[in-house]
Amino acid sequence: MRLLSTLLIGISSGSIYALMALALVLVWRSTRVVNFAQAGQAIASTYIGYVVITHTNNYWLALPVAIMAGALIGALSDILLIRPLNKRITSGPVKEIAPVIATLGLLGLIRSLVGVIWGGDLKRYNAPVSINGFTFGHTTIPFSRFNLLIVFTAVAVMAIFAFVFQRTGLGLALRASAFQPEIARLAGVRVDLVRTVGWAIAGATGAIAGVLITPSTSLSPNSLDLLLVLGFVSAVIGGLESLIGAAIGGAILGIGLALILEYVSTSLAFPAAFIVLMLVLIIKPSGILGSKAGRDA
Amino acid sequence: MLKSKPIRFLLLILVAGVLFLLGNVLPDYRVYEGATASIYVIAIASIILLTGYSGQISLGHGALMAIGGYAAVLSRKYWHTSGVISLIIAVLAAALFGVILGYAAARLRGPYLAGTTLALAVGLPSLANQFHFLGGEQGLNFDIGAPPKFLGSNFSTTKWYFWICSIAALIIFWLVQNLLHSRYGRQWKAMRSAPVSAALAGINIARSKVLAFIISSGVAGLAGALLVMTLNLVTPSEFPLSLSFAIVTGAVLAGIARLPGAVVGALIIVAIPDLADQIATKIGGAERISANLPGFITSLLLILTILFAPNGAKIGKLVSHGSTRT
């Protein structure tokens, strides 16, 4: 029973890591940038969701508003920052690091703006459904209705992704722009626009992750930093290219961390995540789903 | 660029003289800022060496500074080492960590390395909260000792810190500058701008990268120990993510491949909180504005620099090491 409930908790937190990982992978695939500002975009969207919740007390209104905000912030980040950057910097010692630096700057910018608007104190809001664990007979497990909702939401997002990427023209355009931008452009795909759409979808996905994780923790301008790192680890486990890989990576990391927290020590969660990251990068840098499998996603 | 070694050395002596005079003339809090700026010069130099020359990015140098800081404090606390020895131990401890990190880093390309080091910066300092002997949130006290007697009885501690930090900065600046002009510096440059040709020319890329990481880590460790010294205390909160970002910002402002720029970068980073304070009082903003304005200005500067002057804010027409690889 203890093992089962640990696994369930792991899947629940892993779902959120997976959403963050999906956001990172989407941006990586569309523009070859690991978007460190994802944490900032998600936090801004989550704060906007928080405003909606405090005014209307309605989580189900806050979630779509936050998603829209996330998509808008994502699209703006691409149009205002990444596009000009790619046009301006084509060589020199900073070429490799320029996107990293730029998203880092964006992270700082968004975070300080959030701090100015909402202050640095911790905010909280309640989950839409019970966060008390399910009870079977006389035992209550930590896994709650809200955890179940998190898993369902993540699975639904992934199902939508799978459909969009495999079955729609937009998905085809996204895949084409990611892998052969020149040929896609020749074939009439508006690559710049498609990339911006990729950023928007990623921003929306990050917003979902932020809105889902906050009831279990609290909201502050840097409360999603750790989620960014864990999302990155999940994405790397999955190979950074693959959407399916990101989902699997999130699940593996979530379950692994839950097991360590439950059976080994609560103080070892971060070192464990870091060691996993190092091991994956050293032993199999292409992730569990190498780039070949990634192209099918 | 001043190529000849004696002239560079004379220049350094001159700078030392000016710093000595400044330390005597300026008010105490300016001297303290001078110490902080010296620490940033050291930290930024470590990034310039690593990123500007060997082409590896690190967003986690705050974590390496933390390792240096804690190593200095622990060695002084448990082994009662003298001040200088504590600083050397800080360098060695951070360099040792740099060996491990460097071996992993040498196999990683840009975004992976950035993510890994970012993970380090987010997670490592908070580890101190989990282990009792590291003092947790309250931290551990650190006292490097009073200024020596011969400096006179009214020689303030602040001035003493300023002396230690600026002398350390001058030494590091001298060493790193010579290193960058040596065989290794040329190897790093070659490796960064044309890895295949460099390998063909007989440069061991992996070893060269690891070496850069080790040296850079050691230098960052020294900066961390000095930071802890000026604060008399080591806690996890002294090494936030924003510290790592500030160092990278300083290096980018400096022109990522220009060592003398480190001084400019450090001065800007130290001046920003002051400037932000003045702006905040002028617009009469609330506490949340004054708390976030420094971060806002730093980030904005970082973005503007990378967009409009990616090889550093040009101050005079200094040498650009930029390669023209297509």
Side-chain angles (χ1 to χ4, degrees):
Chain A
M1 199 64 193
R2 189 180 168 200
L3 178 66
L4 182 70
S5 84
T6 308
L7 287 178
L8 285 171
I9 286 293
I11 290 174
S12 163
S13 44
S15 306
I16 298 181
Y17 306 159
L19 287 175
M20 199 63 176
L22 282 175
L24 291 171
V25 168
L26 271 170
V27 167
W28 172 252
R29 282 169 48 131
S30 62
T31 31
R32 298 282 127 184
V33 173
V34 171
N35 181 17
F36 293 112
Q38 197 75 64
Q41 296 171 6
I43 206 79
S45 324
T46 308
Y47 267 103
I48 290 168
Y50 159 81
V51 170
V52 175
I53 289 180
T54 46
H55 280 90
T56 65
N57 209 10
N58 188 345
Y59 189 91
W60 300 112
L61 182 64
L63 187 62
V65 170
I67 291 173
M68 302 292 273
L72 187 68
I73 297 170
L76 287 178
S77 306
D78 183 46
I79 294 170
L80 297 179
L81 185 62
I82 301 300
R83 249 191 231 177
L85 189 76
N86 286 338
K87 298 230 157 73
R88 283 181 158 275
I89 298 176
T90 49
S91 70
V94 290
K95 182 177 188 288
E96 294 256 315
I97 61 160
V100 172
I101 303 287
T103 58
L104 210 60
L106 186 61
L107 174 61
L109 204 63
I110 296 177
R111 187 189 281 172
S112 50
L113 283 176
V114 166
V116 168
I117 299 171
W118 286 287
D121 50 327
L122 299 179
K123 312 269 192 222
R124 286 171 199 285
Y125 57 80
N126 290 328
V129 293
S130 167
I131 53 165
N132 297 322
F134 286 107
T135 307
F136 298 100
H138 293 291
T139 47
T140 303
I141 60 171
F143 192 80
S144 67
R145 242 171 241 283
F146 184 59
N147 292 114
L148 192 63
L149 175 76
I150 289 173
V151 178
F152 269 132
T153 313
V155 171
V157 170
M158 288 165 203
I160 294 170
F161 273 14
F163 176 79
V164 168
F165 273 84
Q166 300 295 353
R167 296 270 181 270
T168 63
L170 173 65
L172 188 63
L174 276 163
R175 277 151 61 201
S177 319
F179 291 113
Q180 293 289 346
E182 288 308 313
I183 294 174
R185 192 171 277 130
L186 288 173
V189 177
R190 294 172 66 188
V191 173
D192 277 353
L193 181 69
V194 169
R195 284 183 168 171
T196 304
V197 171
W199 274 77
I201 299 176
T205 314
I208 299 174
V211 174
L212 284 180
I213 202 172
T214 299
S216 325
T217 57
S218 56
L219 191 61
S220 74
N222 53 8
S223 64
L224 293 184
D225 287 357
L226 194 60
L227 179 62
L228 174 74
V229 169
L230 295 174
F232 177 75
V233 175
S234 308
V236 169
I237 293 175
L240 205 56
E241 289 278 355
S242 157
L243 296 174
I244 297 171
I248 298 173
I252 291 176
L253 189 67
I255 293 172
L257 289 187
L259 288 173
I260 289 168
L261 286 174
E262 179 70 23
Y263 291 100
V264 189
S265 158
T266 47
S267 60
L268 287 178
F270 173 76
F274 189 72
I275 289 167
V276 168
L277 175 65
M278 292 292 252
L279 285 179
V280 172
L281 287 173
I282 288 171
I283 297 166
K284 202 166 184 319
S286 55
I288 50 165
L289 296 181
S291 54
K292 195 155 176 281
R295 285 176 193 232
D296 297 328
Chain B
M1 197 71 181
L2 300 158
K3 285 280 180 206
S4 101
K5 228 170 167 179
I7 293 182
R8 288 210 308 265
F9 191 71
L10 279 176
L11 204 68
L12 220 59
I13 298 288
L14 196 71
V15 172
V18 171
L19 285 175
F20 173 77
L21 288 176
L22 283 177
N24 285 333
V25 182
L26 291 175
D28 220 34
Y29 75 98
R30 289 286 176 212
V31 174
Y32 187 83
E33 283 182 342
T36 313
S38 305
I39 295 169
Y40 274 117
V41 168
I42 299 174
I44 292 171
S46 78
I47 293 283
I48 290 180
L49 189 156
L50 185 71
T51 309
Y53 279 76
S54 88
Q56 306 176 88
I57 192 166
S58 168
L59 310 180
H61 263 47
L64 291 164
M65 287 174 71
I67 289 173
Y70 273 97
V73 172
L74 291 177
S75 75
R76 188 150 174 87
K77 188 173 173 214
Y78 291 105
W79 301 334
H80 308 288
T81 48
S82 71
V84 177
I85 302 290
S86 305
L87 294 181
I88 292 174
I89 286 177
V91 173
L92 293 178
L96 191 67
F97 198 80
V99 176
I100 306 167
L101 207 57
Y103 269 103
R107 300 159 137 267
L108 305 180
R109 285 179 304 111
Y112 289 99
L113 185 54
T116 309
T117 48
L118 178 78
L120 200 64
V122 171
L124 190 93
S126 64
L127 268 186
N129 290 333
Q130 323 252 0
F131 296 99
H132 189 66
F133 73 101
L134 294 175
E137 205 70 71
Q138 280 75 44
L140 298 167
N141 289 322
F142 185 58
D143 183 9
I144 201 150
K149 292 272 187 302
F150 66 83
L151 288 171
S153 53
N154 52 4
F155 193 88
S156 74
T157 332
T158 314
K159 209 153 116 188
W160 177 230
Y161 290 161
F162 173 67
W163 276 37
I164 296 175
C165 292
S166 53
I167 289 172
L170 286 168
I171 293 173
I172 289 295
F173 195 89
W174 171 247
L175 290 177
V176 171
Q177 192 170 43
N178 282 340
L179 188 68
L180 294 182
H181 282 101
S182 76
R183 187 162 68 101
Y184 296 108
R186 289 193 297 273
Q187 284 189 359
W188 288 329
K189 261 198 293 189
M191 184 177 83
R192 188 206 66 213
S193 47
V196 177
S197 322
L200 281 173
I203 296 172
N204 184 332
I205 301 272
R207 203 168 61 192
S208 197
K209 279 190 169 178
V210 174
L211 183 70
F213 221 108
I214 295 170
I215 297 171
S216 172
S217 303
V219 173
L222 176 65
L226 291 172
L227 180 69
V228 166
M229 178 192 78
T230 57
L231 298 168
N232 290 318
L233 180 74
V234 63
T235 70
S237 56
E238 287 163 16
F239 307 98
L241 196 52
S242 52
L243 175 67
S244 298
F245 289 2
I247 307 169
V248 173
T249 306
V252 172
L253 291 176
I256 195 80
R258 283 201 333 240
L259 186 63
V263 180
V264 180
L267 289 176
I268 296 176
I269 294 295
V270 173
I272 284 175
D274 256 17
L275 182 74
D277 242 23
Q278 285 178 11
I279 297 175
T281 29
K282 204 159 267 170
I283 56 179
E287 179 266 337
R288 57 177 61 167
I289 292 182
S290 55
N292 289 294
L293 202 56
F296 181 81
I297 296 176
T298 314
S299 312
L300 195 65
L301 263 181
L302 188 61
I303 290 179
L304 292 178
T305 311
I306 205 73
L307 273 179
F308 297 108
N311 292 316
K314 289 252 162 24
I315 293 171
K317 181 98 179 140
L318 285 164
V319 149
S320 156
H321 293 284
S323 73
T324 46
R325 184 164 66 101
T326 46

